[in-house]
């Protein structure tokens, strides 16, 4: 995915994708299919290849977001669970030691600090927020892919038996070619917009988290040079 280098896995070839082998870390474009209109049969084949390329690109993006969602969900739930456990322990330990006549207030502060650290880790690395965005993008891509497939099937059904049984050496109607190309462009555009929007959200969130840590003094301020 352009702009994201925390890992968007997609495929460059059919065998190297998430279903055919070990998934890759970054989103890679599938090779653009060869397009030729030397004959009506070549035109039909080119449209079929373009449609398959667009659909597989959408499926690649969906697959990565669903895999990333699983990773972020595990990390988010782990940190949230640890934060709750340490927060409860940080409250219970001083009360328990005080009831027993001891002093465990110091350990209570330590446990509460660890709980806050778990929350801060989740916030800075955006595990929970990225998990939610992954779900939203995957559902949006699935909806757009299904809508395009449905419209394509609608055109096929409207053509009826005569259209389905048309010889491959008969040229397609210009209007039909335009509709199919428009559907392909719509799907590719939808995939690009979803990825770009999610990338922009990720960059904005990361910049805001980094700026917040700088403002709070958790990170050293960058040295400034004259004229920078």
């Amino acid at each position: 995915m352009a702009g994201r280098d925390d890992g968007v896995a997609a495929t460059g070839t059919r065998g190297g994708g998430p279903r055919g082998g070990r998934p890759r870390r970054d989103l890679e474009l599938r090779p653009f299919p060869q397009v030729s209109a030397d004959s009506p049969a070549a035109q039909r084949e080119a449209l079929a290849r373009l449609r398959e390329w667009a659909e597989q690109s959408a499926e690649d993006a969906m697959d990565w977001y669903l895999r990333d969602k699983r990773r972020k969900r595990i990390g988010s739930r782990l940190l949230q669970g640890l934060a709750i456990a340490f927060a409860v322990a940080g409250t219970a330990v001083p009360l328990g030691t005080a009831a027993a006549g001891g002093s465990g207030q110091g350990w209570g502060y330590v446990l509460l600090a660890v709980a806050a650290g778990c929350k801060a880790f989740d916030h800075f690395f955006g595990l929970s927020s990225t998990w939610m965005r992954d779900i939203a993008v995957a559902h949006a891509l699935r909806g757009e892919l299904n809508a395009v497939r449905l419209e394509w099937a609608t055109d096929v059904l409207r053509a009826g038996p005569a259209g389905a049984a048309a010889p491959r050496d008969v040229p397609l109607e210009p209007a039909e070619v335009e509709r199919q190309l428009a559907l392909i462009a719509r799907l590719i555009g939808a995939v690009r917009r979803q990825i770009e929007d999610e990338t922009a959200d990720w960059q904005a969130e990361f910049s805001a988290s980094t700026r917040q840590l700088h403002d709070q003094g958790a990170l050293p301020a960058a040295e400034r040079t004259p004229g920078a």
Side-chain angles (χ1 to χ4, degrees):
M1 179 171 57
R4 283 289 292 271
D5 53 344
D6 63 339
V8 180
T11 60
T13 58
R14 182 182 297 273
R19 294 190 183 93
R22 192 173 72 176
R24 300 175 180 175
R25 288 186 57 81
D26 299 326
L27 180 62
E28 300 175 359
L29 292 177
R30 283 179 174 269
F32 192 80
Q34 295 182 353
V35 176
S36 173
D38 297 338
S39 64
Q43 182 189 44
R44 294 174 185 270
E45 181 66 23
L47 285 171
R49 288 180 179 178
L50 286 172
R51 177 194 172 188
E52 182 182 9
W53 172 73
E55 291 185 352
Q56 289 178 344
S57 297
E59 290 177 350
D60 287 344
M62 261 193 312
D63 287 341
W64 182 86
Y65 279 107
L66 291 175
R67 287 197 309 276
D68 189 63
K69 178 202 73 171
R70 288 191 289 270
R71 292 194 298 266
K72 295 301 189 297
R73 179 186 61 193
I74 293 173
S76 174
R77 288 181 173 178
L78 177 61
L79 288 174
Q80 296 292 340
L82 289 175
I84 293 173
F86 283 119
V88 171
T91 304
V93 167
L95 294 177
T97 54
S103 176
Q105 188 174 4
W107 281 109
Y109 288 138
V110 171
L111 293 172
L112 290 175
V114 174
C118 291
K119 295 289 292 184
F121 189 93
D122 181 34
H123 175 72
F124 179 76
F125 289 101
L127 297 182
S128 297
S129 58
T130 304
W131 173 20
M132 295 297 103
R133 288 201 307 271
D134 286 345
I135 294 175
V137 173
H139 280 295
L141 290 174
R142 182 182 291 112
E144 189 65 33
L145 178 59
N146 289 337
V148 168
R149 283 172 170 170
L150 180 60
E151 290 190 31
W152 195 291
T154 300
D155 283 345
V156 172
L157 293 175
R158 284 174 178 169
R168 292 180 60 85
D169 57 351
V170 175
L172 292 171
E173 294 292 333
E176 184 179 358
V177 174
E178 289 296 328
R179 284 197 306 271
Q180 294 183 3
L181 289 176
L183 287 175
I184 294 170
R186 169 182 157 186
L187 181 56
I188 290 298
V191 173
R192 184 184 66 250
R193 286 192 303 272
Q194 290 293 335
I195 293 177
E196 289 177 350
D197 290 347
E198 195 276 331
T199 300
D201 291 342
W202 175 78
Q203 291 175 330
E205 179 182 341
F206 185 79
S207 298
S209 299
T210 305
R211 186 166 53 251
Q212 182 180 2
L213 288 177
H214 277 297
D215 294 341
Q216 294 175 352
L219 291 178
E223 295 182 1
R224 295 184 178 273
T225 58

